[in-house]
Amino acid sequence: MVKNKLSLSFVFRCALWIALSYSFVGLASFYEKNKIILHFAYALNTFLTANLLISIGRFLIVSLYNRKHANHDVRGNFVLGISRVATVLNAGMIVITLMVALGIDPKEFITSMTIVAMAIAVIFREYITNMISGLLVMFSDQFSIGDHIKISNYQGKIVDITLANIVVRDEDDDVVLIPNNLIFTSTMVNKSSQKSNKLIVKFELPLEKPLHVQSVENHLRPILKINKNIIWDDLFKIKVAEIGKDFVKYKIELNTISSSNKLHYQIQNEILNEILLFRTRED
């Protein structure tokens, strides 16, 4: 569950907002003589008012969400989506604040820029749709940060979801930025959506040097049997999954005590290392 606490910065913003609001009464004569400072003070007050309302709204919504799902294993990105929406709203308020500070009426400016805004929307259509897709992704429960996904030619662990991209760290520890639009136009496999205690270890060897299955089973059996993280089954077998033109694919099915991805990777690495050691000795 995501922690949701009001920070010291929120307290500071509240204090600054109160001070500014009071100054419009206590320093009215000063502001009357310094119109430029008045514009900046009013602009800052406008931003702080909106910012505080957004922060309070986010805090209340997230608190209610956390309370509602306190006893459930939530996989969605609701909190992340709310945070991104709050960021977008704050960014919009910064633009409005700058207009107020410069003495520009936001309503008149937006009205006069309608045609230009439509042109901008057409030019940046891909980015806008990508951003909307990002928000849809954040509020969906199909996958979340930490899941292992495969989409198009990319696969790896989701480390972040932004308004522009899904950030994935692949098996080579490279960071791959996948555009949000790709999620809705390509087939995606979420390998973490259905967590299971079942672990399938797959590996591939050249056809010219096939594995002596029985010998490897005899090698692995005592090692896996004493592993406390594995629920041992005497029917343990190494199966041939596929035979290609120049390769043979094998798989090992095991039951573990947990569905933890970290535990599964640990066991998988141990098994593959033992197979490599066996092959080295055999050669």
Side-chain angles (χ1 to χ4, degrees):
M1 189 62 61
V2 179
K3 293 182 178 180
N4 187 37
K5 296 181 179 179
L6 292 175
S7 61
L8 287 175
S9 68
F10 178 82
V11 177
F12 173 77
R13 282 174 283 154
C14 281
L16 183 58
W17 178 79
I18 293 170
L20 272 174
S21 299
Y22 176 77
S23 73
F24 290 130
V25 178
L27 301 176
S29 58
F30 172 79
Y31 284 135
E32 190 67 29
K33 297 176 182 178
N34 299 275
K35 295 293 185 181
I36 296 178
I37 297 177
L38 175 62
H39 278 302
F40 278 95
Y42 181 67
L44 181 58
N45 184 262
T46 302
F47 172 75
L48 286 173
T49 301
N51 179 262
L52 291 173
L53 289 174
I54 292 169
S55 297
I56 292 171
R58 178 194 175 280
F59 177 83
L60 292 175
I61 292 172
V62 173
S63 295
L64 290 172
Y65 178 82
N66 286 343
R67 182 177 298 178
K68 182 178 179 181
H69 297 87
N71 299 320
H72 300 83
D73 183 17
V74 179
R75 287 182 36 78
N77 308 294
F78 183 83
V79 176
L80 177 64
I82 289 295
S83 298
R84 297 294 193 230
V85 169
T87 301
V88 172
L89 291 175
N90 280 320
M93 285 309 305
I94 289 175
V95 174
I96 294 174
T97 298
L98 291 175
M99 291 181 187
V100 173
L102 297 173
I104 302 172
D105 187 339
K107 291 182 180 179
E108 292 182 2
F109 180 81
I110 292 172
T111 302
S112 62
M113 291 291 290
T114 301
I115 298 176
V116 176
M118 291 177 62
I120 292 174
V122 172
I123 295 172
F124 295 98
R125 181 182 59 185
E126 289 297 324
Y127 181 79
I128 293 171
T129 56
N130 203 45
M131 185 176 70
I132 294 172
S133 297
L135 289 173
L136 292 175
V137 166
M138 290 172 197
F139 285 106
S140 74
D141 59 355
Q142 296 176 351
F143 57 87
S144 59
I145 293 175
D147 283 355
H148 289 262
I149 65 168
K150 179 179 181 182
I151 178 170
S152 189
N153 297 323
Y154 310 105
Q155 62 178 334
K157 178 181 178 181
I158 299 176
V159 295
D160 194 13
I161 301 175
T162 70
L163 290 173
N165 308 289
I166 293 177
V167 185
V168 173
R169 189 175 295 278
D170 64 15
E171 296 176 352
D172 297 324
D173 207 32
D174 294 328
V175 174
V176 181
L177 303 180
I178 302 176
N180 292 321
N181 282 338
L182 197 61
I183 297 296
F184 299 98
T185 57
S186 301
T187 301
M188 186 193 74
V189 178
N190 187 351
K191 298 182 179 181
S192 305
S193 60
Q194 296 295 330
K195 291 193 174 183
S196 171
N197 288 8
K198 186 175 182 180
L199 169 64
I200 299 178
V201 180
K202 297 180 180 180
F203 58 98
E204 178 182 315
L205 293 173
L207 184 60
E208 59 188 30
K209 292 185 178 181
L211 191 70
H212 193 281
V213 175
Q214 187 65 50
S215 298
V216 179
E217 285 179 358
N218 293 335
H219 174 74
L220 289 176
R221 202 171 263 113
I223 297 172
L224 300 179
K225 199 170 185 178
I226 61 173
N227 191 318
K228 296 180 179 179
N229 295 317
I230 296 174
I231 300 174
W232 177 250
D233 185 350
D234 289 327
L235 299 177
F236 166 74
K237 292 285 184 182
I238 297 178
K239 301 177 181 179
V240 176
E242 182 183 348
I243 300 178
K245 183 179 179 181
D246 53 2
F247 65 86
V248 182
K249 290 185 178 181
Y250 303 88
K251 71 175 182 178
I252 300 172
E253 296 183 5
L254 297 167
N255 287 315
T256 62
I257 62 172
S258 169
S259 61
S260 166
N261 288 326
K262 185 177 181 180
L263 177 63
H264 282 192
Y265 280 120
Q266 179 184 339
I267 295 173
Q268 177 177 282
N269 287 335
E270 290 175 2
I271 292 173
L272 294 178
N273 284 332
E274 287 297 331
I275 293 173
L276 286 174
L277 286 172
F278 179 84
R279 289 302 301 269
T280 302
R281 293 171 188 170
E282 192 179 54
D283 294 340

